[in-house]
Amino acid sequence: MFDLQSYLNGQKELVEKYLDESLPMGEPAKIYEAMRYSLLAGGKRLRPILCLATCELLDGDRTSAIPSACALEMIHTMSLIHDDLPAMDNDDYRRGKLTNHKVYGEDIAILAGDALLTYAFEYVARETKNVPAQRVVKVLTILTQAVGAQGLVGGQVMDLECEGKIDVSAETLSFIHVHKTGALLEACVTSGATLAGAKEKDLHRLSTYAKNIGLAFQIIDDILDVTATSEELGKTAGKDVTAQKATYPKLWGLEVSQAKAHELVESAMAQLDIYGDKALPLQAIAQFIVKRKN
Ligand code: GRG
């Protein structure tokens, strides 16, 4: 039987090693320290694991996906650094440690985010080996689209605009999360698939899988903000209520939100039945998303 926990632990350990090697210290030491502080601060490493697992599902060469897997974690980490800044969510803790600006100051935290973002693209362009250049360009397009106004930035802006509003519609909430959380998770899957030379049909199936787990991930995130402790989350719990944010539990209640997350994961898993046992890692990751405690 497929053992999800040992699979995730093993993959996480490998990803930690790839990340450590991806960003050696340099000069000025302060910026490299700040970048490495957040990049190597832990976390579930779900995004790189998704990228590698998708590449392997389609029989791609795992090593060709390692630079993209690292880049996805660099982008995710930079978005967390900027999200935690006083001008955004103003948080003191992330991944159980002080936030980047609390340790290095706001100026360096902004620059560490900028440097991680730009380095992510450099790393993919420079280090991706043994795949046609066209695939690398496609991956860079996928990553840049997931980050900009069509992706993370767009979702974050809409989120900021809705803060404190009591009548946020289900459509607006969906827009926020499709862009803020879903776009990068989908990019993990489509970049891994692209590096493996995915056909249109595979890409379509895998994008649908990713969209479903992306939404399920956010619903669970909203639920955990209400039900988990700050210790469990490694960041301040209950922030959504304090900041008067629109969330799924607020819109649907906790029970319906749980049920919807489970439904989304079931249909994500069903998308991959066609791949047989090879899909077990991606199907198990989908299940982990609803079971997770942080
Ligand atoms: C991308 C240029 C650029 C700027 C950033 C601040 C911002 C724009 C966007 C916010 C993006 C954001 C923080 C989305 C939330 C996504 C989310 C649910 C994060 C938590 O992910 P986990 O649970 O965290 O995978 P770990 O720590 O496990 O990696």
Side-chain angles (χ1 to χ4, degrees):
M1 215 185 88
F2 186 81
D3 181 349
L4 170 66
Q5 205 48 55
S6 59
Y7 170 77
L8 286 178
N9 290 345
Q11 292 300 305
K12 187 165 140 60
E13 206 174 301
L14 285 170
V15 167
E16 295 299 341
K17 181 173 109 19
Y18 304 148
L19 287 172
D20 192 17
E21 288 166 3
S22 73
L23 182 61
M25 280 297 290
E27 285 295 329
K30 190 164 194 177
I31 191 70
Y32 284 93
E33 251 176 51
M35 290 160 79
R36 283 178 57 86
Y37 174 80
S38 290
L39 187 65
L40 305 177
K44 295 179 285 297
R45 307 310 194 188
L46 199 59
R47 289 155 190 82
I49 295 174
L50 267 174
C51 174
L52 296 166
T54 310
C55 182
E56 286 180 322
L57 168 80
L58 299 178
D59 297 324
D61 167 13
R62 177 188 172 87
T63 54
S64 71
I66 293 174
S68 297
C70 290
L72 284 154
E73 191 66 24
M74 290 173 199
I75 294 169
H76 170 56
T77 300
M78 79 70 58
S79 80
L80 300 180
I81 297 175
H82 282 198
D83 194 52
D84 291 335
L85 287 167
M88 303 263 184
D89 270 7
N90 192 17
D91 236 308
D92 292 353
Y93 289 95
R94 171 71 70 176
R95 292 170 164 172
K97 295 175 79 175
L98 281 172
T99 45
N100 199 289
H101 66 274
K102 281 279 158 189
V103 179
Y104 297 98
E106 274 182 61
D107 46 5
I108 295 297
I110 292 169
L111 292 166
D114 294 343
L116 275 172
L117 181 62
T118 44
Y119 186 61
F121 304 125
E122 176 191 334
Y123 199 63
V124 171
R126 200 186 65 207
E127 292 297 327
T128 308
K129 306 272 159 63
N130 303 324
V131 290
Q134 272 170 312
R135 289 187 199 167
V136 183
V137 173
K138 179 88 195 294
V139 166
L140 287 167
T141 311
I142 291 170
L143 298 186
T144 44
Q145 279 176 344
V147 168
Q150 300 283 305
L152 268 87
V153 170
Q156 179 75 350
V157 170
M158 189 64 102
D159 195 11
L160 292 172
E161 285 194 342
C162 288
E163 232 167 76
K165 284 192 185 161
I166 47 162
D167 55 350
V168 176
S169 66
E171 289 71 35
T172 305
L173 192 56
S174 161
F175 180 97
I176 293 171
H177 297 310
V178 163
H179 292 78
K180 203 177 136 170
T181 306
L184 194 62
L185 287 169
E186 189 173 347
C188 298
V189 169
T190 51
S191 59
T194 299
L195 288 163
K199 303 211 168 52
E200 263 321 302
K201 266 196 179 157
D202 293 316
L203 269 177
H204 182 73
R205 265 185 221 115
L206 287 159
S207 291
T208 308
Y209 160 87
K211 284 189 172 77
N212 285 338
I213 63 161
L215 186 52
F217 186 90
Q218 187 57 51
I219 296 173
I220 297 296
D221 216 63
D222 285 359
I223 293 174
L224 288 174
D225 186 73
V226 184
T227 59
T229 63
S230 299
E231 288 68 36
E232 283 169 320
L233 294 179
K235 63 179 183 181
T236 318
K239 284 281 297 219
D240 293 344
V241 177
T242 320
Q244 293 182 294
K245 285 213 176 182
T247 65
Y248 288 106
K250 204 163 138 187
L251 194 70
W252 297 329
L254 278 174
E255 224 169 281
V256 175
S257 301
Q258 273 286 2
K260 294 233 185 204
H262 279 275
E263 269 171 38
L264 284 160
V265 161
E266 287 301 319
S267 48
M269 288 170 67
Q271 281 295 323
L272 307 186
D273 282 345
I274 191 165
Y275 300 106
D277 282 358
K278 276 206 266 179
L280 286 174
L282 283 182
Q283 289 177 323
I285 293 170
Q287 281 180 324
F288 168 74
I289 282 174
V290 277
K291 285 193 199 137
R292 70 197 177 98
K293 298 279 176 264
N294 68 26

